[in-house]
Amino acid sequence: MSQRQPLTILFADVSGSTKLFETLGDEAARRIVAGVLQALAEITRRHGGRLIKTIGDEVMCTFPGALNGLLAATDMQKRVSSDPAFIRDNLAIRVGLHHGEALIEDSDVYGDAVNTAARMASLAKREQIVTTASTVTGVTNTGPLRTRSLGTARVSGKLQPIEIVDVMWQDDISNVTTVQRVVKLVEAQPRKARLLLRYRGQAIEIDELAPTFSLGREASNNLMVDAEWVSRTHATLEYKRGYWVLGDRSTNGTWVRLGEAEELRLHRDEIQLRSKVGTISLGQETALNPDYVLQFQCVEA
């Protein structure tokens, strides 16, 4: 039986686990990551929440109200950042959450609120909590919680970008505002940042408000790169926190050259394109892959 009700959806993802698996091996790394996930589950229950499921090195939780989720998120960050074992293994977490109406069905949760929370988690950096402005607006009696504006972000299924904020959980809270007050966000700026791509005679332009741009071998991607060494969904491009970000999701990795710097390999990670020009080569280094190389140019109007 299914039912709809307002819930706060929270995703917390372990950062640093990929390197842990590479250096310690699957069994040892899995035990360490499981320890982080167990700590997150305990904090969830302490704040009246429910662990819905574990997805690899990520947990999905629900809370009855926004305040429960916000307090749980800050406690999660404090717990992981202060544990000597997690510090030793260079582990941290990224947290994203959103409060909205969700569909509960067979002990799982679905709907727009889940999608939005997952998007917040994808925007969060290591040791960061990202949520929607609507989640914190109107919440009272929050004690030490503070937020700051991150501007706007695109969410799949929504026509307009939504306002997002960073929940500050560290002791340094200078230049931020309390969530007891109405959250004042920076007004959406005109579209300025653009990314120009050139690939085998094609010219593609993406602006900063565009949804995530995907590259890969399958035709469903925004740009199809039809080569056997390219994964079906190989990489993504997205404008986040003032920079274009390239994310690799592939088996073989992605080679990136920023300006005149040496080409580097990116694998299951992200990199900010901190150069006005450069190249992107999917699956192989440029020298082995000259006919399939993308050229990029970052433009600020």
Side-chain angles (χ1 to χ4, degrees), residues 149-152 163 184-190 208:
S149 170
L150 292 176
T152 61
E163 296 172 334
K184 294 184 178 180
L185 295 155
V186 177
E187 293 183 0
Q189 299 296 316
E208 64 184 51

Side-chain angles (χ1 to χ4, degrees), residues 65-120:
L67 181 56
N68 305 75
L70 290 165
L71 293 176
T74 58
D75 280 357
M76 287 176 179
Q77 289 288 10
K78 290 176 181 178
R79 170 73 170 83
V80 174
S81 67
S82 63
D83 190 295
F86 301 155
I87 295 171
R88 179 197 64 212
D89 293 315
N90 195 33
L91 294 177
I93 57 171
R94 297 181 286 258
V95 181
L97 64 155
H98 172 67
H99 184 79
E101 188 174 85
L103 176 66
I104 304 172
E105 189 174 279
D106 296 330
S107 300
D108 208 340
V109 186
Y110 306 90
D112 178 70
V114 176
N115 296 335
T116 302
R119 176 68 170 133
M120 296 304 101

Side-chain angles (χ1 to χ4, degrees), residues 109-249:
V109 186
Y110 306 90
D112 178 70
V114 176
N115 296 335
T116 302
R119 176 68 170 133
M120 296 304 101
S122 73
L123 292 172
K125 296 188 296 184
R126 181 184 173 94
E127 299 184 337
Q128 187 179 33
I129 303 169
V130 175
T131 187
T132 54
S134 63
T135 297
V136 297
T137 302
V139 174
T140 57
N141 300 321
T142 57
L145 283 179
R146 303 292 186 272
T147 66
R148 65 180 175 187
S149 170
L150 292 176
T152 61
R154 283 279 185 181
V155 175
S156 178
K158 294 185 179 293
L159 294 177
Q160 299 298 324
I162 62 174
E163 296 172 334
I164 63 173
V165 297
D166 183 8
V167 180
M168 310 298 290
W169 57 273
Q170 298 94 336
D171 292 334
D172 181 7
I173 57 172
S174 59
N175 299 320
V176 298
T177 57
T178 64
V179 299
Q180 292 101 312
R181 304 169 186 167
V182 175
V183 179
K184 294 184 178 180
L185 295 155
V186 177
E187 293 183 0
Q189 299 296 316
R191 299 185 182 189
K192 293 183 177 180
R194 291 177 294 141
L195 183 67
L196 308 182
L197 299 175
R198 295 191 178 276
Y199 173 70
R200 308 191 81 179
Q202 300 180 58
I204 302 167
E205 180 177 315
I206 316 168
D207 68 49
E208 64 184 51
L209 295 183
T212 302
F213 187 91
S214 62
L215 308 94
R217 195 173 69 243
E218 287 190 340
S220 58
N221 289 284
N222 298 106
L223 177 62
M224 185 175 70
V225 180
D226 189 13
E228 61 182 11
W229 52 84
V230 175
S231 295
R232 290 190 295 271
T233 300
H234 194 104
T236 58
L237 288 163
E238 187 175 6
Y239 192 76
K240 295 194 289 189
R241 295 178 288 276
Y243 290 96
W244 289 101
V245 176
L246 172 67
D248 177 80
R249 306 290 183 265

